Amino acid sequence: TWRLLFDRAHQIDAPPKTVLYPETEQVRTAHLVLVVDGLVRVYRTSRSGREVTIRYARRGDILGLPSVVAQASPAAAQAVVPTRVVAMSAEVLRSRAQRDSQLAWAMAEEMAGSLFNIQERLAHNVFAPVRSRVARYLLDVATPAGDSHVATASYEDIAGAIGTVREVVARTLAALRDDGLIRRTEEGIALIDLD
């Protein structure tokens, strides 16, 4: 199956903010992407234009399995940092899974794990205090940079991702900085103490 998928695959090198695939409710639109390097944000957009992050994907994560089954993709995927992905044929995987119960079960396990992670993220964004939501966001988007991890995000990015406003994010980041947990660098927000 991997051989068949990679025979029709193509690599995408995406700079930050590149939409790897858009949201679409249209039937027969499916996406299947393997993250090779970088960080990808999967999100939904409301009719008013507000976005909510559903999950983050890193090296080795597969995106789009629900769209392979449903043949629709209501969520979009966007590179957060310079990212390399391999786009594969959803049709090939769907066809193989319909004939191979072990492959179909592996897909179901992967989707169940993703669903549980999404549910945990939703509960955290609804119930956790703002400080915890900001810290979680920074941990989610931080990438290794030398001897630390750095999150490259604007106050607006953070506010949109956790459901608050820029001013609240600014106060929360100042408190985290005063506590010695983060510091501003040219690259972004360096996380000093991951624990």
Side-chain angles (χ1 to χ4, degrees), residues 111-142:
M111 285 189 285
S114 292
L115 175 62
F116 294 152
N117 287 336
I118 290 166
Q119 289 173 344
E120 192 275 328
R121 172 176 296 286
L122 174 63
H124 186 266
N125 276 343
V126 170
F127 301 127
V130 171
R131 180 180 172 108
S132 177
R133 292 175 5 220
V134 169
R136 170 72 180 266
Y137 174 85
L138 294 175
L139 289 167
D140 281 343
V141 303

Side-chain angles (χ1 to χ4, degrees), residues 16 25 39 49 91 112-113 131 170 180:
E25 299 285 350
L39 180 66
E91 293 76 26
R131 180 180 172 108

Side-chain angles (χ1 to χ4, degrees), residues 63-129:
L63 301 174
L65 283 179
S67 77
V68 171
V69 175
Q71 298 185 39
S73 181
Q78 179 184 51
V80 176
V81 298
T83 299
R84 177 174 296 138
V85 299
V86 174
M88 298 174 286
S89 170
E91 293 76 26
V92 167
L93 185 61
R94 182 182 312 107
S95 174
R96 295 287 294 198
Q98 287 171 340
R99 297 188 317 268
D100 182 342
S101 62
Q102 287 181 313
L103 175 59
W105 185 258
M107 289 172 58
E109 287 179 325
E110 178 68 24
M111 285 189 285
S114 292
L115 175 62
F116 294 152
N117 287 336
I118 290 166
Q119 289 173 344
E120 192 275 328
R121 172 176 296 286
L122 174 63
H124 186 266
N125 276 343
V126 170
F127 301 127

